Amino acid sequence: MQLIDQLNDSIRSLSGFWPELALVFAIAILVVTDLVLLTRSKRPSSGQDSVQVQALSKNRSVLYGLALLAVTVAGAFVIGQESQQKGFLFNFVLLLDNQAVFYKLVVTLAAFFAILHAWTVAKTPNPLPLDWLPILLALLLGLYLMTMSVNLLTIYLSIELVSISSYLLTGLSASRKASEGGLKYLLFGAVSSAIMLYGMSLLYGLTGTLALSESVEQLTQNDSFVIYVAGFLMLGGILFKLSLVPFHVWTPDVYEAAPTPVVAFFSVAPKAAALLVLMRVLTALPANFQTPMAAIALASITLGNLSALWQTDAKRLLAYSSIAHAGFLLVGVVAFNETGFEAATFYVATYVFINMAAFLLIDLLAQSHHGSLTIQDFSGLGTSQPLLSAALTAVMIALTGLPPTVGFTAKFLAFSALLEAYQTNANPWVLALFAIGLLNAVVSLFYYLRIPFLLYFRPASTANLSDIYISRPQLILATVLTVPVLALFFKPDWILRWIGGL
C-alpha cells in the first residue's frame, strides 16, 4: 500500500510540474531539430558559397525561435501556477509556493532576455554556437528545481545541474581564454560542491532525515557549535552560486571568458535561485547566522568595490561589481526579518533589468572591438552614440544606487530593513555592515561614474566607436531593458505589492 500511495502522490505532483516538463520536452526538441537541420545543410566554412551561409542563418533563426517559444511556454505555465493549489510535490522533496513561483518568473525573464541578447548580436564575427540553447534550457530547469527544493538531496542535485550546465556554457567557444575560464569554474565548483555535500552529510548524520523541516526538530537537541559547522559547510555551494566571499575567485575569469549573453544570465539568474535557497536554509537551521552572514556580506561588498577600482576591462569591472552587489543582496537577508527578505527579493528582481542592460550595452559597443572593450574605449561616445550613451549612463547610475533609478530604491529598502534589525537586537556586526556598506556605495561612485565621465567629458579614443551599426531589434531590446530601471523608481509598488503577497 505504501508503494501505491507514493505512486499516486507522484502522479498528483505532476500537475504542479508542468513548467519543468515543458523544459524537458523543449530540450529534446531543440537537440533533435538541430540534428535534422545539420543533415540538410552543412555548416559553412571559408570558401563555401553564400547559399550555405543563408542556410545556417535560417537554421539559427529556427532554433532561436524554438528556444524563445520554449521559455515563453514555460513562463506561461509558471504564471498559471499562481492560481494553482500550492503544496509539497513528490513525497515532500519539492515545495510549490508563491515564493517559488515568483523566483521562477525572475529566472524565466532572465533566460528570455539572454536568448534575445544572443539572437540580436548573432551576426557578429564570432556568434555563439547553437549548442548553447539546449544547455541554457537545462540550466533553467535546474534553477526551477532550486526554487522549489526543500530537501537536502534535491538542493544538491539541482545546484549540480545548474553548475554543470554553467561549466559547459563557459567553455563552449573554442578560444583558449574560454577553456581556461571553464576549467577554473569547474575546479572551484567541484571544491564548493564537495564542501556542501560534506556539510549535508553531517546534517543527515545529526538528524537522520534529508528534509529541512524535519531537520529543525532534530537539530534543536544538538550542540550549537556542531550546527554551525555543518551549516557553514552546507552553505558553501550556495555562496558559490552567489559569488560571495570566499567563493568568489572564479567570477572575474569566467565573466571575461564566457560569451556576453551567457555572462549576463550568470550574473542574475543563478543568484536569484540561490538567494531563495539561502533564505530557506537559514530560516530552517536552529542557529543564529546573522553575525557570520553580516561578515560575509561586508567582505564581499568591500572586496568587490575595491577590486573594481583597478579594472580596465569592462566585463571584469562588472564581474567585481557583481561580487559587491551579491553582498548588497545579502544585506536584506542579514536583517533576518520579513522586511529584509522582501527587500532582498525586490533587489534581485530589479537587478535582472539593471545587469542585463549593462551587459547588452557593453556587447553592442564591443562589436567593433572583436568582443573586447576597455573602459577607455568609452571616451567621446556621448556625441557619436547618444542613445546608447544615455542608456549606459542610466544603468551605471542604477548600479551605483543613485536616484532616479530603481537601484536607489533597492538599496534603500535593504538598508532600511538592516537598520530595523539593529534596533531590535543591537548586533554590532549589523551596525558595521550598515555603516561600511553605505560607505562602499560611495566608493562605487569612482568606477561606475567614470564611464559617464568618459562618455561626455573626454575626446574620442583612437579606436573610434562611431561606426558601430545598431540594428532596430538591438535598440528595442536595449530600450526594453533600460526603461524599467527608471520606471520602477517612480512605481516600485508594481513589484512590492506582488512581493508583499508572497
Side-chain angles (χ1 to χ4, degrees), residues 98 342 496-502:
N98 291 328
E342 290 180 358
L496 287 175
R497 287 180 182 175
W498 193 358
I499 294 174
L502 298 180

Side-chain angles (χ1 to χ4, degrees), residues 203-217:
L203 286 177
Y204 178 71
L206 291 170
T207 62
T209 179
L210 294 171
L212 282 178
S213 57
E214 296 178 15
S215 298
V216 176
E217 301 175 0

